[in-house]
Amino acid sequence: MNITLSPPTEEQLRSGELGLKLRRYNYGFVGEYPKQEYIRIDARDENGRLLGGLRGFVFLYWLDVEVLFVEEDARGAGLGSRLLAEAERQAITLGARNAKLSTFEWQARGFYLKQGYEEYGRIDDYAPGFYLAYMKKALQAP
């Protein structure tokens, strides 16, 4: 068999063919599930300055928080908590039952613990001298 490896074209990426093949395979094990849905939230002040935001997605009934950031001068006023709570609320409406994320030890592990997340694993020395914590939380519908 003559097989070539190459990057996909933009059209091939847009088609979603590869993801569809994987989903169909997965359906044989866990049944059909909704497609991945993105959650994107920005927090801006009255002048339009971006103070923070959250990027994540819901897949297989899990919210996966990829990025949560709050500018240093806006920290301590509850903005991070508001962003995370809103993402969790949106995720629940999309069918999520749990949430997960990763955070470096110098970032926001303590913050996430206060929000009800628990550490379930870590990789030591992920960045030289620092660990990466994996955290999760069960979500509850209001």
Side-chain angles (χ1 to χ4, degrees):
M1 187 182 310
N2 186 12
I3 299 173
T4 59
L5 302 179
S6 62
T9 65
E10 287 297 318
E11 183 178 317
Q12 290 167 335
L13 286 172
R14 277 192 302 278
S15 77
E17 181 183 11
L18 184 63
L20 181 58
K21 287 179 178 288
L22 179 59
R23 271 195 314 282
R24 287 182 180 150
Y25 176 78
N26 291 346
Y27 291 165
F29 294 91
V30 298
E32 288 195 33
Y33 50 84
K35 67 180 180 123
Q36 179 172 300
E37 297 285 347
Y38 292 95
I39 294 179
R40 298 176 174 124
I41 308 165
D42 284 351
R44 296 182 182 275
D45 68 12
E46 64 276 359
N47 298 315
R49 176 178 165 236
L50 182 63
L51 297 176
L54 186 144
R55 303 291 184 263
F57 60 89
V58 173
F59 178 69
L60 272 175
Y61 311 107
W62 282 78
L63 166 62
D64 193 324
V65 178
E66 296 181 301
V67 175
L68 172 57
F69 179 77
V70 175
E71 285 286 356
E72 195 166 346
D73 63 342
R75 293 178 190 162
L79 181 54
S81 298
R82 287 178 57 198
L83 286 164
L84 189 57
E86 176 59 18
E88 290 172 355
R89 185 196 66 73
Q90 288 184 29
I92 289 168
T93 66
L94 294 171
R97 298 180 205 122
N98 299 284
K100 69 183 183 78
L101 56 90
S102 62
T103 186
F104 285 104
E105 68 179 280
W106 72 81
Q107 291 177 325
R109 182 181 174 277
F111 165 78
Y112 291 117
L113 289 170
K114 289 178 187 172
Q115 306 305 313
Y117 285 74
E118 64 178 285
E119 184 177 319
Y120 66 90
R122 74 169 53 170
I123 299 175
D124 291 324
D125 232 21
Y126 193 98
F130 298 99
Y131 66 80
L132 179 68
Y134 291 94
M135 305 185 83
K136 67 179 180 174
K137 174 183 177 180
L139 299 179
Q140 298 178 10

